[in-house]
């Protein structure tokens, strides 16, 4: 290899990153890591209580005396459903229009959703497959937790 002149960095060849490993539970507590290699470790977290939990994972080379500690933090919380009308309702108007037939719109000034006419007197068959589109509305439910 030719010496690199001062002030100029040596350009290394690009090495292709290995493909991501598929996480699989093996229950193993020992791994063989090849030289210049890596082992993907998947940590599963579950808690019956709400809160933030911190534990330390310890790793050691077989026959070695050095312990490597890796802090691991997990958080558990209840879902927080968005209550912002801008994200929940697809159709919204600032004030109720003067026409009597307001249907499937959120009225911002009143803070309420106008459902419009109901399915009274209509055939019930097919309502779950969208047979009556004038009597259906979509809402967006978002978890902000």
């Amino acid at each position: 290899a030719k010496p690199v002149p001062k002030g100029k960095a040596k350009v290394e060849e690009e090495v292709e990153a290995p493909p991501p490993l598929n996480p699989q539970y093996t229950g193993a507590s020992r791994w063989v890591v090849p030289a210049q290699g890596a082992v993907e470790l998947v940590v599963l977290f579950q808690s019956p209580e709400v809160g933030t939990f911190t534990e330390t994972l310890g790793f050691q080379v077989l026959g070695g005396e050095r312990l490597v500690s890796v802090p691991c933090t997990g958080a558990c919380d209840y879902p927080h459903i968005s209550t912002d009308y801008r994200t929940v309702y697809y159709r919204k108007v600032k004030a109720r229009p003067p026409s009597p037939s307001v249907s499937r719109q959120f009225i911002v000034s009143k803070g309420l959703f106008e459902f419009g006419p109901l399915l009274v007197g209509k055939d019930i068959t097919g309502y779950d497959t969208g047979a009556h589109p004038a009597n259906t509305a979509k809402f967006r439910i978002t978890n902000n937790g």
Side-chain angles (χ1 to χ4, degrees):
K2 292 174 23 181
V4 178
K6 287 185 179 180
K8 294 193 176 187
K10 181 179 177 183
V11 178
E12 295 184 18
E13 295 178 22
E14 288 187 25
V15 178
E16 192 174 311
L21 303 173
N22 293 332
Q24 297 175 352
Y25 178 75
T26 60
S29 60
R30 294 181 184 215
W31 301 275
V32 176
V33 182
Q36 303 298 318
V39 172
E40 185 175 295
L41 175 67
V42 177
V43 178
L44 302 176
F45 171 76
Q46 182 177 355
S47 173
E49 299 175 9
V50 172
T52 302
F53 305 90
T54 303
E55 287 294 328
T56 303
L57 303 178
F59 297 94
Q60 183 177 14
V61 176
L62 187 64
E65 296 179 12
R66 187 173 152 217
L67 180 70
V68 178
S69 298
V70 178
C72 192
T73 302
C76 184
D77 200 357
Y78 294 113
H80 296 280
I81 304 300
S82 174
T83 57
D84 185 9
Y85 73 89
R86 293 172 291 189
T87 59
V88 174
Y89 303 101
Y90 286 97
R91 299 178 62 200
K92 38 205 169 282
V93 292
K94 290 186 179 183
R96 190 175 198 284
S99 65
S101 60
V102 175
S103 156
R104 302 172 311 185
Q105 293 181 357
F106 181 79
I107 312 298
V108 176
S109 62
K110 292 186 175 185
L112 57 90
F113 183 79
E114 289 276 352
F115 285 94
L118 301 177
L119 278 173
V120 177
K122 289 189 180 178
D123 186 15
I124 195 169
T125 57
Y127 77 93
D128 56 346
T129 59
H132 306 289
N135 297 100
T136 59
K138 290 186 179 182
F139 301 101
R140 182 182 301 123
I141 299 175
T142 308
N143 182 359
N144 293 337

